[in-house]
Amino acid sequence: MQSPVRYSPDVEVVKPDEGETIAELCQTFDTILQRVADDSGHAVRSVHAKAHGILEGVMRIADGLPPELAQGLFAKPGTHRVYMRLSTNAGDILPDAVSLPRGLAVKVLDAPGERLPDAEGTTQNFIMVNGPVFQAPDAQKFLGSLKLLAGTTDQAEGLKVAASTVLRGVNKALQAVGVESPTLASLGGAPNVDPLGETYYSVTPFRFGDYIAKFSLRPVSSGLTELTGTEIDASGRPDAIRETVRSEMSGIEGVWEFRVQLCRDLDRQPVEDPTVAWDEEEAPFQRVATITVGPQDSWDAARVQAVDEGMRFSVWTGLAAHRPLGNINRARNAPYRHSAAFRERFNGCPIHEPAAR
């Protein structure tokens, strides 16, 4: 196996029009934010608006990691409190019969070290989805998809439910012959799976101290792995996923392993194109920590208010040692702040990072 590639600033190639694209992304997100807020009277996130569970647990960083894995947050063994937010990726609040890719955001508390520019607080955030690749190779292509999404934000729910049912059938037919379609999944053709059984991926690369990596969170406890691939019947139940997760988490202990996939060849594991999956044979995932969540009310009102309403999750909130890399990540910074600022203004609820202990 090749040695991991060492990080240097020249692994990124900044496009000359990135500033203009990011400005357009903010404008398009504004359309989504304003329409949803006007329709519902409450501002939500411009993507991954609907949460299905807010969990509190503990990350345990492994002892005795080899030097290439003992980097950044993971440089020293220890424990950290974490918050986890389960979601789906639409920017409006839809009934769960519209099946979309799942998201999992992790906020690790009390992360010591040099911060990223303008990264408030003392946390390290990780944002993942239940698929290994992104739907667009760069921010310009993503902008085109986002404009289509913005145009359907306040369309009739019934049409979206019907379309999702059709797209799920098409996607299953493609999977049966070995074809995966992130585009169909993002449009509502994703399997309506239980989020607790899914494996999640950062999709985009990040600095990993001296190296470059992608991240993943995989369920390992039996209470979670028994749910892998289980589909939720959301017929007539607009919040079926939230209800299911709440019922399940009341009686199980969930354990996930946090894994790191080190880049070992910049040509085969590119930084600037997140539509390319990094082959796990060439760049295997390696465990650096576990996250344990005990039985709890995953929709506890106080925790939902504190985390879902009062916090934001951003890949740009964290340590300089885990700097987001690549065009898509660079384009996530301003829009994430833009979305949080809109929520704060419209709802009159300050967005803040949790205080260090």
Side-chain angles (χ1 to χ4, degrees):
M1 187 183 303
Q2 290 183 236
S3 298
V5 174
R6 287 195 166 266
Y7 168 78
S8 67
D10 61 9
V11 301
E12 294 188 274
V13 180
V14 178
K15 296 185 176 184
D17 62 348
E18 283 189 13
E20 291 84 350
T21 300
I22 291 169
E24 282 197 73
L25 283 169
C26 288
Q27 291 170 8
T28 307
F29 278 129
D30 259 349
T31 300
I32 297 172
L33 289 162
Q34 193 68 57
R35 284 179 180 168
V36 174
D38 288 344
D39 287 348
S40 66
H42 187 76
V44 295
R45 291 164 172 82
S46 52
V47 290
H48 290 275
K50 187 173 186 179
H52 306 301
I54 305 294
L55 305 173
E56 185 172 356
V58 175
M59 172 181 275
R60 292 180 174 86
I61 297 171
D63 195 2
L65 291 173
E68 65 269 20
L69 297 180
Q71 301 284 328
L73 175 67
F74 308 95
K76 295 180 180 179
T79 61
H80 299 265
R81 285 176 57 216
V82 300
Y83 291 117
M84 303 168 71
R85 180 181 186 268
L86 298 159
S87 64
T88 50
N89 73 351
D92 48 352
I93 304 297
L94 297 170
D96 289 345
V98 181
S99 55
L100 295 161
R102 305 288 182 242
L104 177 61
V106 180
K107 188 178 288 289
V108 183
L109 278 60
D110 300 320
E114 179 189 354
R115 308 289 293 168
L116 287 162
D118 302 319
E120 63 275 14
T122 58
T123 70
Q124 174 63 49
N125 291 196
F126 299 100
I127 298 179
M128 307 184 195
V129 294
N130 62 331
V133 297
F134 195 65
Q135 68 193 68
D138 56 39
Q140 185 63 46
K141 292 288 196 311
F142 176 66
L143 175 61
S145 300
L146 189 68
K147 286 180 176 179
L148 291 174
L149 179 65
T152 66
T153 295
D154 56 358
Q155 297 286 326
E157 288 182 358
L159 293 175
K160 292 183 180 180
V161 172
S164 181
T165 302
V166 172
L167 289 170
R168 275 200 305 274
V170 174
N171 213 11
K172 284 183 178 180
L174 289 173
Q175 290 171 343
V177 294
V179 177
E180 294 290 336
S181 177
T183 300
L184 279 184
S186 70
L187 292 172
N192 216 357
V193 290
D194 190 321
L196 290 176
E198 292 295 281
T199 295
Y200 294 88
Y201 303 85
S202 68
V203 176
T204 52
F206 294 78
R207 182 173 179 179
F208 192 66
D210 293 334
Y211 303 99
I212 301 160
K214 291 184 179 181
F215 305 122
S216 175
L217 201 65
R218 182 174 72 175
V220 292
S221 59
S222 60
L224 298 179
T225 57
E226 288 170 359
L227 302 173
T228 300
T230 301
E231 295 198 29
I232 296 172
D233 182 3
S235 304
R237 298 168 60 207
D239 298 320
I241 302 170
R242 185 179 300 165
E243 295 163 2
T244 301
V245 169
R246 195 174 194 180
S247 174
E248 291 164 345
M249 281 308 307
S250 67
I252 65 172
E253 178 180 76
V255 182
W256 292 260
E257 61 177 17
F258 191 100
R259 307 180 301 165
V260 170
Q261 186 183 29
L262 293 173
C263 174
R264 298 176 186 275
D265 183 324
L266 286 170
D267 291 327
R268 298 181 65 79
Q269 293 119 38
V271 165
E272 293 290 349
D273 186 354
T275 64
V276 177
W278 292 8
D279 190 328
E280 293 185 38
E281 292 292 324
E282 300 173 1
F285 280 103
Q286 298 169 277
R287 185 172 72 175
V288 293
T290 58
I291 293 178
T292 302
V293 173
Q296 61 189 262
D297 181 357
S298 61
W299 204 249
D300 173 77
R303 193 186 307 124
V304 169
Q305 179 62 35
V307 179
D308 201 43
E309 295 292 337
M311 297 182 195
R312 74 185 185 102
F313 291 83
S314 168
V315 295
W316 286 91
T317 300
L319 302 174
H322 300 309
R323 180 182 182 86
L325 302 176
N327 174 268
I328 290 292
N329 271 339
R330 292 191 296 274
R332 294 165 91 178
N333 195 357
Y336 276 44
R337 292 183 180 277
H338 194 75
S339 174
F342 181 95
R343 288 167 52 211
E344 189 171 57
R345 288 194 308 273
F346 193 95
N347 297 336
C349 176
I351 305 291
H352 61 274
E353 283 293 295
R357 284 182 292 179

Coordinates of all heavy atoms in Angstrom, one line a residue, residues 8-69:
S8 N -0.3 19.8 1.4 CA 0.4 21.1 1.1 C -0.7 21.9 0.4 O -1.6 21.4 -0.2 CB 1.6 20.9 0.2 OG 1.2 20.5 -1.1
P9 N -0.6 23.2 0.6 CA -1.7 24.1 0.0 C -1.9 23.9 -1.5 O -3.0 24.1 -2.0 CB -1.2 25.5 0.3 CG -0.3 25.4 1.5 CD 0.4 24.0 1.3
D10 N -0.9 23.4 -2.2 CA -1.1 23.3 -3.7 C -1.9 22.1 -4.1 O -2.1 21.8 -5.3 CB 0.3 23.3 -4.4 CG 1.2 22.2 -4.0 OD1 0.8 21.3 -3.2 OD2 2.4 22.2 -4.4
V11 N -2.4 21.3 -3.1 CA -3.3 20.2 -3.5 C -4.7 20.7 -4.0 O -5.4 20.0 -4.6 CB -3.5 19.2 -2.4 CG1 -2.2 18.6 -2.0 CG2 -4.3 19.8 -1.2
E12 N -4.9 22.0 -3.7 CA -6.2 22.7 -4.1 C -5.9 23.5 -5.3 O -4.8 24.2 -5.5 CB -6.8 23.5 -3.0 CG -7.2 22.7 -1.8 CD -8.0 23.6 -0.8 OE1 -7.3 24.2 0.0 OE2 -9.2 23.7 -0.9
V13 N -6.9 23.6 -6.2 CA -6.8 24.4 -7.4 C -8.1 25.3 -7.4 O -9.2 24.9 -7.7 CB -6.8 23.6 -8.7 CG1 -6.7 24.5 -9.9 CG2 -5.6 22.6 -8.7
V14 N -7.9 26.6 -7.1 CA -9.0 27.5 -7.0 C -9.4 28.1 -8.3 O -8.5 28.6 -9.1 CB -8.6 28.7 -6.0 CG1 -9.8 29.7 -5.9 CG2 -8.3 28.2 -4.6
K15 N -10.7 28.0 -8.7 CA -11.1 28.5 -10.0 C -11.3 30.0 -9.9 O -11.7 30.5 -8.9 CB -12.5 27.8 -10.3 CG -12.3 26.3 -10.5 CD -13.7 25.7 -11.0 CE -13.5 24.2 -11.3 NZ -14.7 23.6 -11.8
P16 N -11.1 30.7 -11.0 CA -11.2 32.1 -11.0 C -12.6 32.7 -10.8 O -12.8 33.8 -10.3 CB -10.7 32.5 -12.4 CG -10.8 31.3 -13.3 CD -10.6 30.1 -12.3
D17 N -13.6 31.9 -11.1 CA -15.0 32.3 -10.9 C -15.7 31.9 -9.6 O -16.9 32.0 -9.5 CB -15.8 31.9 -12.1 CG -15.9 30.4 -12.2 OD1 -15.2 29.7 -11.5 OD2 -16.8 29.9 -13.0
E18 N -14.9 31.4 -8.7 CA -15.5 30.8 -7.5 C -16.3 31.8 -6.7 O -17.4 31.6 -6.1 CB -14.5 30.1 -6.6 CG -14.0 28.8 -7.1 CD -13.2 28.0 -6.1 OE1 -13.1 28.4 -4.9 OE2 -12.6 27.0 -6.5
G19 N -15.8 33.1 -6.6 CA -16.5 34.1 -5.9 C -17.9 34.4 -6.4 O -18.8 34.5 -5.7
E20 N -18.0 34.5 -7.8 CA -19.3 34.7 -8.4 C -20.2 33.6 -8.2 O -21.4 33.8 -7.9 CB -19.1 35.0 -9.9 CG -18.4 36.3 -10.3 CD -16.9 36.1 -10.2 OE1 -16.4 35.1 -9.7 OE2 -16.2 37.1 -10.7
T21 N -19.7 32.3 -8.2 CA -20.6 31.2 -8.0 C -21.1 31.1 -6.6 O -22.3 30.8 -6.3 CB -19.8 29.9 -8.3 OG1 -19.3 29.9 -9.7 CG2 -20.6 28.6 -8.1
I22 N -20.2 31.4 -5.6 CA -20.6 31.4 -4.2 C -21.7 32.5 -4.0 O -22.7 32.3 -3.2 CB -19.4 31.6 -3.3 CG1 -18.5 30.4 -3.4 CG2 -19.8 31.9 -1.9 CD1 -17.2 30.5 -2.7
A23 N -21.6 33.7 -4.6 CA -22.6 34.7 -4.4 C -23.9 34.2 -5.0 O -25.0 34.5 -4.4 CB -22.1 36.0 -5.2
E24 N -23.9 33.5 -6.1 CA -25.2 33.0 -6.7 C -25.7 31.9 -5.8 O -27.0 31.8 -5.7 CB -24.9 32.5 -8.1 CG -24.8 33.5 -9.2 CD -25.0 32.9 -10.6 OE1 -26.1 32.5 -10.9 OE2 -24.0 32.8 -11.3
L25 N -24.9 31.1 -5.2 CA -25.4 30.1 -4.3 C -26.1 30.7 -3.1 O -27.2 30.3 -2.7 CB -24.2 29.3 -3.7 CG -23.6 28.2 -4.6 CD1 -22.3 27.6 -4.1 CD2 -24.6 27.0 -4.8
C26 N -25.6 31.8 -2.5 CA -26.2 32.5 -1.4 C -27.6 33.1 -1.9 O -28.6 33.0 -1.1 CB -25.3 33.6 -0.9 SG -23.9 33.1 0.0
Q27 N -27.6 33.6 -3.1 CA -28.9 34.2 -3.6 C -29.9 33.1 -3.8 O -31.1 33.3 -3.4 CB -28.6 34.9 -4.9 CG -27.8 36.2 -4.8 CD -27.4 36.7 -6.2 OE1 -27.8 36.2 -7.2 NE2 -26.5 37.7 -6.2
T28 N -29.5 31.9 -4.3 CA -30.4 30.8 -4.5 C -30.9 30.2 -3.2 O -32.1 29.9 -3.0 CB -29.8 29.7 -5.4 OG1 -29.2 30.3 -6.6 CG2 -30.8 28.7 -5.8
F29 N -30.0 30.1 -2.2 CA -30.4 29.7 -0.9 C -31.4 30.6 -0.3 O -32.3 30.2 0.4 CB -29.2 29.5 0.0 CG -28.4 28.2 -0.2 CD1 -27.1 28.2 -0.4 CD2 -29.1 27.0 -0.1 CE1 -26.4 27.0 -0.5 CE2 -28.5 25.8 -0.3 CZ -27.1 25.8 -0.5
D30 N -31.2 31.9 -0.5 CA -32.1 32.9 0.0 C -33.6 32.7 -0.5 O -34.5 32.8 0.2 CB -31.7 34.3 -0.5 CG -31.0 35.1 0.6 OD1 -31.0 34.7 1.7 OD2 -30.4 36.2 0.3
T31 N -33.7 32.3 -1.8 CA -35.0 31.9 -2.3 C -35.6 30.8 -1.6 O -36.8 30.9 -1.2 CB -34.9 31.5 -3.8 OG1 -34.3 32.6 -4.6 CG2 -36.2 31.2 -4.4
I32 N -34.9 29.7 -1.3 CA -35.4 28.6 -0.6 C -35.7 29.0 0.9 O -36.8 28.7 1.4 CB -34.3 27.5 -0.6 CG1 -34.1 27.0 -2.0 CG2 -34.8 26.3 0.3 CD1 -32.9 26.0 -2.1
L33 N -34.8 29.7 1.5 CA -35.1 30.1 2.9 C -36.3 31.0 3.0 O -37.1 30.8 3.9 CB -33.8 30.9 3.4 CG -32.5 30.1 3.7 CD1 -31.3 31.0 3.7 CD2 -32.7 29.3 4.9
Q34 N -36.4 32.0 2.1 CA -37.5 32.9 2.3 C -38.9 32.2 2.0 O -39.9 32.5 2.7 CB -37.3 34.1 1.3 CG -38.3 35.3 1.6 CD -38.0 36.0 2.9 OE1 -36.8 36.4 3.1 NE2 -39.0 36.0 3.8
R35 N -38.9 31.4 1.0 CA -40.2 30.7 0.6 C -40.7 29.8 1.8 O -41.8 29.8 2.1 CB -40.0 29.9 -0.7 CG -40.0 30.8 -1.9 CD -39.8 29.9 -3.1 NE -39.8 30.7 -4.4 CZ -39.5 30.3 -5.6 NH1 -39.1 29.0 -5.7 NH2 -39.5 31.1 -6.6
V36 N -39.7 29.0 2.3 CA -40.1 28.1 3.4 C -40.5 28.9 4.6 O -41.5 28.6 5.3 CB -38.9 27.2 3.7 CG1 -39.3 26.3 5.0 CG2 -38.6 26.3 2.6
A37 N -39.8 30.0 5.0 CA -40.1 30.8 6.1 C -41.5 31.5 6.0 O -42.3 31.5 6.9 CB -39.0 31.8 6.4
D38 N -41.7 32.0 4.8 CA -43.0 32.7 4.5 C -44.2 31.7 4.6 O -45.3 32.0 5.1 CB -43.0 33.3 3.1 CG -42.1 34.6 3.1 OD1 -41.8 35.1 4.2 OD2 -41.8 35.0 2.0
D39 N -44.0 30.5 4.1 CA -45.0 29.5 4.1 C -45.3 28.9 5.5 O -46.5 28.7 5.8 CB -44.7 28.3 3.2 CG -44.7 28.6 1.7 OD1 -45.3 29.7 1.3 OD2 -44.2 27.8 0.9
S40 N -44.3 28.8 6.3 CA -44.5 28.1 7.6 C -44.4 29.0 8.8 O -44.8 28.7 9.9 CB -43.4 27.0 7.8 OG -42.1 27.7 7.9
G41 N -43.9 30.3 8.5 CA -43.8 31.2 9.6 C -42.6 30.9 10.5 O -42.4 31.5 11.6
H42 N -41.7 30.0 10.0 CA -40.5 29.7 10.8 C -39.4 29.4 9.8 O -39.5 28.6 8.8 CB -40.8 28.4 11.6 CG -39.7 28.1 12.6 ND1 -39.5 28.8 13.8 CD2 -38.7 27.1 12.5 CE1 -38.4 28.3 14.4 NE2 -38.0 27.2 13.7
A43 N -38.2 29.9 10.1 CA -37.0 29.7 9.2 C -36.3 28.4 9.6 O -36.1 28.1 10.8 CB -36.1 30.9 9.3
V44 N -35.9 27.6 8.6 CA -35.2 26.4 8.8 C -33.9 26.4 7.9 O -33.7 27.4 7.1 CB -36.0 25.2 8.4 CG1 -37.2 25.1 9.4 CG2 -36.5 25.2 7.0
R45 N -33.1 25.4 8.0 CA -31.9 25.4 7.3 C -32.2 25.3 5.8 O -33.2 24.7 5.4 CB -31.1 24.1 7.7 CG -30.5 24.2 9.1 CD -30.0 22.9 9.6 NE -29.3 23.0 10.8 CZ -29.9 23.1 12.0 NH1 -31.2 23.1 12.1 NH2 -29.1 23.2 13.2
S46 N -31.3 25.8 4.9 CA -31.5 25.8 3.5 C -31.3 24.5 2.9 O -31.7 24.2 1.8 CB -30.6 26.9 2.8 OG -29.3 26.7 3.2
V47 N -30.6 23.6 3.5 CA -30.5 22.2 3.2 C -30.5 21.4 4.5 O -30.2 21.9 5.5 CB -29.1 21.9 2.4 CG1 -29.1 22.4 1.0 CG2 -27.9 22.3 3.2
H48 N -30.9 20.1 4.4 CA -31.1 19.3 5.5 C -32.0 20.0 6.6 O -31.7 20.0 7.8 CB -29.8 18.9 6.1 CG -29.0 17.9 5.2 ND1 -29.3 16.5 5.3 CD2 -28.1 18.1 4.2 CE1 -28.5 15.9 4.4 NE2 -27.8 16.9 3.7
A49 N -33.1 20.5 6.1 CA -34.0 21.3 7.0 C -34.7 20.5 8.0 O -34.8 20.9 9.2 CB -35.0 22.0 6.1
K50 N -35.1 19.3 7.7 CA -35.9 18.4 8.6 C -35.0 17.5 9.4 O -34.4 16.6 8.8 CB -37.0 17.7 7.8 CG -37.9 16.9 8.8 CD -39.1 16.3 8.0 CE -40.1 15.7 8.9 NZ -41.2 15.1 8.2
A51 N -35.0 17.6 10.7 CA -34.3 16.7 11.6 C -35.2 15.6 12.0 O -36.4 15.7 12.2 CB -33.8 17.4 12.8
H52 N -34.6 14.4 12.2 CA -35.3 13.2 12.6 C -34.9 12.8 14.0 O -35.6 11.9 14.6 CB -35.1 12.1 11.6 CG -35.5 12.4 10.2 ND1 -36.7 12.8 9.8 CD2 -34.7 12.4 9.1 CE1 -36.7 13.1 8.5 NE2 -35.5 12.8 8.1
G53 N -33.9 13.3 14.5 CA -33.4 13.0 15.8 C -32.2 13.8 16.2 O -31.4 14.2 15.4
I54 N -32.2 14.2 17.5 CA -31.0 14.9 18.1 C -30.5 14.1 19.2 O -31.2 13.8 20.2 CB -31.4 16.3 18.6 CG1 -32.1 17.1 17.5 CG2 -30.2 17.0 19.1 CD1 -31.3 17.5 16.3
L55 N -29.3 13.6 19.1 CA -28.7 12.6 20.1 C -27.5 13.3 20.8 O -26.9 14.1 20.2 CB -28.3 11.4 19.4 CG -29.3 10.6 18.5 CD1 -28.6 9.5 17.8 CD2 -30.4 10.1 19.4
E56 N -27.3 12.9 22.0 CA -26.2 13.3 22.8 C -25.4 12.1 23.2 O -26.0 11.1 23.7 CB -26.6 14.1 24.0 CG -25.4 14.7 24.8 CD -25.9 15.6 25.9 OE1 -27.1 15.9 26.0 OE2 -25.0 16.1 26.6
G57 N -24.1 12.1 23.0 CA -23.3 10.9 23.3 C -21.8 11.3 23.6 O -21.5 12.4 23.9
V58 N -20.9 10.3 23.5 CA -19.5 10.5 23.9 C -18.7 9.9 22.7 O -18.9 8.8 22.3 CB -19.2 9.8 25.2 CG1 -17.7 9.8 25.5 CG2 -20.0 10.3 26.3
M59 N -17.7 10.7 22.3 CA -16.7 10.2 21.4 C -15.5 9.8 22.2 O -15.0 10.5 23.0 CB -16.3 11.3 20.4 CG -15.1 10.9 19.5 SD -14.5 12.1 18.3 CE -15.6 11.8 16.9
R60 N -15.0 8.6 21.9 CA -13.7 8.1 22.6 C -12.7 7.9 21.5 O -12.8 7.1 20.6 CB -14.0 6.8 23.3 CG -14.9 6.9 24.5 CD -15.2 5.6 25.2 NE -16.0 5.8 26.4 CZ -17.3 5.9 26.5 NH1 -18.0 5.8 25.4 NH2 -17.9 6.1 27.6
I61 N -11.6 8.7 21.6 CA -10.5 8.6 20.7 C -9.6 7.5 21.1 O -9.2 7.4 22.2 CB -9.8 10.0 20.6 CG1 -10.8 11.1 20.1 CG2 -8.6 9.9 19.7 CD1 -10.2 12.5 20.2
A62 N -9.3 6.7 20.1 CA -8.5 5.5 20.4 C -7.1 5.8 20.9 O -6.5 6.8 20.5 CB -8.4 4.6 19.1
D63 N -6.6 4.9 21.7 CA -5.2 5.0 22.2 C -4.3 4.2 21.3 O -4.7 3.3 20.6 CB -5.1 4.4 23.6 CG -3.9 4.7 24.4 OD1 -3.0 5.5 23.8 OD2 -3.7 4.3 25.5
G64 N -3.0 4.7 21.2 CA -2.0 3.9 20.5 C -2.2 4.0 19.0 O -1.7 3.1 18.2
L65 N -2.8 5.1 18.4 CA -2.9 5.2 17.0 C -1.6 5.4 16.3 O -0.7 6.1 16.9 CB -3.8 6.4 16.6 CG -5.3 6.3 17.0 CD1 -6.0 7.6 16.7 CD2 -6.0 5.2 16.2
P66 N -1.3 4.9 15.1 CA -0.1 5.2 14.5 C 0.0 6.6 14.1 O -1.0 7.3 14.0 CB -0.1 4.3 13.2 CG -1.6 4.0 13.0 CD -2.2 4.0 14.4
P67 N 1.3 7.1 13.9 CA 1.5 8.6 13.7 C 0.6 9.2 12.6 O 0.1 10.3 12.7 CB 2.9 8.7 13.3 CG 3.6 7.5 14.0 CD 2.6 6.4 13.9
E68 N 0.3 8.5 11.5 CA -0.4 9.1 10.4 C -1.9 9.2 10.7 O -2.7 9.9 10.1 CB -0.3 8.2 9.1 CG -0.9 6.8 9.1 CD 0.2 5.8 9.5 OE1 1.2 6.2 10.2 OE2 -0.1 4.6 9.2
L69 N -2.4 8.5 11.8 CA -3.8 8.6 12.2 C -3.9 9.5 13.5 O -5.0 10.0 13.8 CB -4.4 7.2 12.5 CG -4.5 6.3 11.3 CD1 -5.1 4.9 11.8 CD2 -5.3 6.9 10.2

